[in-house]
């Protein structure tokens, strides 16, 4: 299943290739993957003269586009831009409100399963007998790169 989460990014600015660029995760103009359903908070307090915005156009308003505001909150007092990525959000680009050429691409892929779901026997009750539990011997389940089995009631996992 999928469980939405909140991801925090610190945004800094430094000169790279002849001009100032946003650095996210230490990478200039980092291409981001903003998964649908998640919330992303961009803290640009260390780059407070470079307000981070989103657009569906590369380089935003500097590239002839407009600011993307769906699900976006900009807190200019605390230097944070928050986006809740809705289902169907288009390809986005992040950019500086005041300066051209600083931003990068923000892909918006559909949510993928990110949690383990377990189906139990006996309705989830922890009261099956040792004999019943042991009867699960030699049952093998597999996923790419991961296998596990039950043997004499013991879980054996191999990665």
């Amino acid at each position: 299943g999928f469980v939405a989460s909140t991801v925090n990014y610190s945004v800094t600015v430094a000169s790279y290739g002849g001009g100032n660029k946003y650095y996210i995760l230490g990478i200039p103009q980092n291409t981001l993957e903003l998964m649908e359903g998640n919330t992303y908070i961009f803290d640009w307090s260390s780059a407070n003269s470079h307000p981070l915005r989103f657009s569906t156009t590369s380089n935003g308003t500097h590239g002839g586009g407009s600011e993307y505001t769906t699900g976006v909150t900009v807190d200019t007092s605390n230097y944070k831009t928050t986006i809740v990525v809705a289902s169907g959000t288009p390809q986005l680009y992040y950019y500086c409100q005041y300066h051209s050429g600083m931003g990068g691409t923000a892909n918006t892929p559909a949510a993928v399963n990110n949690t383990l779901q377990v189906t139990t026997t006996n309705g989830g009750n922890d009261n099956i007998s040792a004999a019943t539990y042991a009867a699960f011997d030699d049952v093998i389940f597999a996923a790419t790169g991961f296998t596990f089995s039950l043997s004499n009631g013991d879980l054996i996992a191999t990665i």
Side-chain angles (χ1 to χ4, degrees):
F2 174 75
V3 175
S5 61
T6 298
V7 179
N8 292 281
Y9 286 122
S10 293
V11 180
T12 59
V13 171
S15 181
Y16 180 83
N20 283 335
K21 307 294 182 205
Y22 280 126
Y23 278 68
I24 300 175
L25 298 172
I27 300 170
Q29 298 179 303
N30 195 357
T31 297
L32 305 175
E33 300 295 323
L34 306 182
M35 190 177 305
E36 291 179 356
N38 283 348
T39 299
Y40 297 87
I41 302 171
F42 295 86
D43 180 343
W44 38 273
S45 57
S46 67
N48 59 32
S49 61
H50 302 283
L52 187 141
R53 301 292 194 263
F54 289 99
S55 178
T56 56
T57 303
S58 181
N59 207 20
T61 56
H62 311 290
S66 59
E67 182 178 356
Y68 182 84
T69 59
T70 303
V72 178
T73 304
V74 178
D75 179 352
T76 56
S77 298
N78 293 303
Y79 310 106
K80 292 183 180 179
T81 300
T82 301
I83 182 169
V84 179
V85 184
S87 178
T89 296
Q91 168 77 54
L92 296 175
Y93 301 89
Y94 60 96
Y95 69 100
C96 175
Q97 178 181 356
Y98 300 126
H99 307 97
S100 180
M102 290 183 58
T105 302
N107 297 317
T108 56
V112 295
N113 292 341
N114 65 355
T115 61
L116 174 66
Q117 294 182 349
V118 177
T119 303
T120 62
T121 59
N122 202 27
N125 295 316
D126 189 22
N127 61 358
I128 61 175
S129 69
T132 301
Y133 189 71
F136 290 112
D137 285 353
D138 302 318
V139 176
I140 298 175
F141 305 90
T144 303
F146 180 79
T147 62
F148 65 95
S149 63
L150 295 170
S151 178
N152 293 322
D154 295 325
L155 176 65
I156 301 169
T158 306
I159 297 175

